[in-house]
């Protein structure tokens, strides 16, 4: 072995029985092949391996504080503040079940159950209710929407709100902490006559101070859905797909380390 100015070197002989690596085992991991924690390279490649054979985490620390942790599913459940841990995407599809039309000042559920739905890391608990599996006990969520809309008449405006549950639907809270959503029932668009556009908005689960700590610490299933309303029944809001003119909504969740 060529000198590398190190106190300890491990050199393999090129065979699978003497790999240039170390392995750490105890009574919990068990002994023998395929158990414990392996550090090194293989006998027949140049890749460096930090390899936990067990269904458990890898933990990384500096200054005696855990800075990062990769769980057994590969997610960084402890991460530097502001780092995105996990994300999800949902395309509600097209058709009548991806269209919401209302003239009501009472909030109505946004339909997200169209034809050709596509979901990645976002599931459903009902036709129009969505789920996200939160993996860290120290993270908040960004929930973003992009929603095509048409407001007929447009003498007033419309609003939207997001509702979220951490207890499988037993209780829901508005994500902003404001009962009528971030722009009330009139400020998301309108007041310009017949109006079309795309509503883009991001909620962050820190916004509702009464629920922020519970959401921060939650791991597992988060349920959420959206509701829309108009300020006046003189206006008709059509949001999502539009009859005879296909339009697409999108919904994104980002899990961000605290």
């Amino acid at each position: 072995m060529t000198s590398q100015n190190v106190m300890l070197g491990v050199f393999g002989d090129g065979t699978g029985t003497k790999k240039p690596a170390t392995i750490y085992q105890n009574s919990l991991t068990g002994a023998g092949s395929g158990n414990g924690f392996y550090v090194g390279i293989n006998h027949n490649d140049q890749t460096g391996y930090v390899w936990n054979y067990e269904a458990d985490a890898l933990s990384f620390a500096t200054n005696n504080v855990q800075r990062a942790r990769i769980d057994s599913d590969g997610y960084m459940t402890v991460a530097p503040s502001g780092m995105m841990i996990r994300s999800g995407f949902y395309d509600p599809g097209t058709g009548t079940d991806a269209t919401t039309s209302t003239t009501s000042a009472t909030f109505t559920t946004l339909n997200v159950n169209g034809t050709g739905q596509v979901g990645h890391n976002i599931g459903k608990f009902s036709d129009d209710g969505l789920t996200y599996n939160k993996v860290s006990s120290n993270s908040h969520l960004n929930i973003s929407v992009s929603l095509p809309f048409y407001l007929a008449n447009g003498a007033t405006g419309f609003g939207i709100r997001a509702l979220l549950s951490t207890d499988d639907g037993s209780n829901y809270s508005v994500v902003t902490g404001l009962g009528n959503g971030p722009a009330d029932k009139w400020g998301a668009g309108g007041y310009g006559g017949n109006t079309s556009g795309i509503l883009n908005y991001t909620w962050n689960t820190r916004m509702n101070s009464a629920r922020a700590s519970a959401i921060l610490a939650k791991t597992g299933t988060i349920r959420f859905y959206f509701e829309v309303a108009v300020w006046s029944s003189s206006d008709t809001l059509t949001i999502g797909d539009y009859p005879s003119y296909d339009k697409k909504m999108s919904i994104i969740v980002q899990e961000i380390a605290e």
Side-chain angles (χ1 to χ4, degrees):
M1 180 178 179
T2 303
S3 174
Q4 298 289 330
N5 297 322
V6 296
M7 298 297 292
L8 174 66
V10 180
F11 186 81
D13 66 358
T15 70
T17 58
K18 293 183 179 179
K19 297 180 180 182
T22 58
I23 192 163
Y24 305 88
Q25 299 172 330
N26 62 21
S27 59
L28 297 177
T29 67
S33 177
N35 290 304
F37 176 54
Y38 176 103
V39 181
I41 60 177
N42 218 337
H43 66 288
N44 57 357
D45 63 36
Q46 299 176 62
T47 301
Y49 294 91
V50 179
W51 196 278
N52 191 353
Y53 285 107
E54 309 305 316
D56 215 321
L58 287 175
S59 182
F60 302 86
T62 62
N63 198 26
N64 202 34
V65 176
Q66 180 176 238
R67 306 296 187 184
R69 182 181 179 90
I70 303 173
D71 72 6
S72 60
D73 291 323
Y75 294 113
M76 191 174 286
T77 55
V78 175
S81 179
M83 177 179 286
M84 187 168 70
I85 295 171
R86 190 172 185 261
S87 67
F89 168 80
Y90 191 75
D91 170 358
T94 58
T96 56
D97 289 332
T99 303
T100 305
S101 185
T102 183
T103 59
S104 178
T106 300
F107 276 108
T108 186
T109 301
L110 180 72
N111 293 328
V112 294
N113 195 43
T115 301
Q117 300 168 59
V118 177
H120 176 70
N121 289 337
I122 292 179
K124 302 186 79 174
F125 67 88
S126 68
D127 284 352
D128 301 310
L130 303 174
T131 61
Y132 174 80
N133 184 41
K134 188 168 175 287
V135 298
S136 174
S137 60
N138 191 43
S139 63
H140 279 288
L141 303 179
N142 285 339
I143 302 174
S144 301
V145 295
S146 182
L147 308 174
F149 70 88
Y150 176 67
L151 188 66
N153 191 32
T156 62
F158 72 94
I160 187 171
R161 66 182 183 179
L163 295 98
L164 181 148
S165 173
T166 59
D167 57 7
D168 295 323
S170 295
N171 298 279
Y172 282 92
S173 59
V174 285
V175 178
T176 57
L178 302 175
N180 286 336
D184 210 287
K185 296 179 181 179
W186 54 268
Y191 288 95
N194 294 329
T195 306
S196 65
I198 296 179
L199 171 65
N200 296 298
Y201 188 78
T202 298
W203 289 264
N204 183 279
T205 52
R206 296 179 184 86
M207 296 171 87
N208 186 342
S209 59
R211 296 293 301 152
S213 295
I215 299 170
L216 177 76
K218 168 71 177 179
T219 59
T221 300
I222 298 286
R223 293 188 179 194
F224 64 101
Y225 66 98
F226 306 96
E227 294 181 332
V228 293
V230 292
W231 185 253
S232 169
S233 61
S234 65
D235 294 327
T236 300
L237 173 67
T238 304
I239 191 164
D241 198 8
Y242 193 86
S244 302
Y245 299 92
D246 284 346
K247 298 183 178 182
K248 275 289 186 81
M249 297 181 280
S250 65
I251 300 165
I252 294 172
V253 175
Q254 296 175 317
E255 184 171 350
I256 310 295
E258 174 68 353

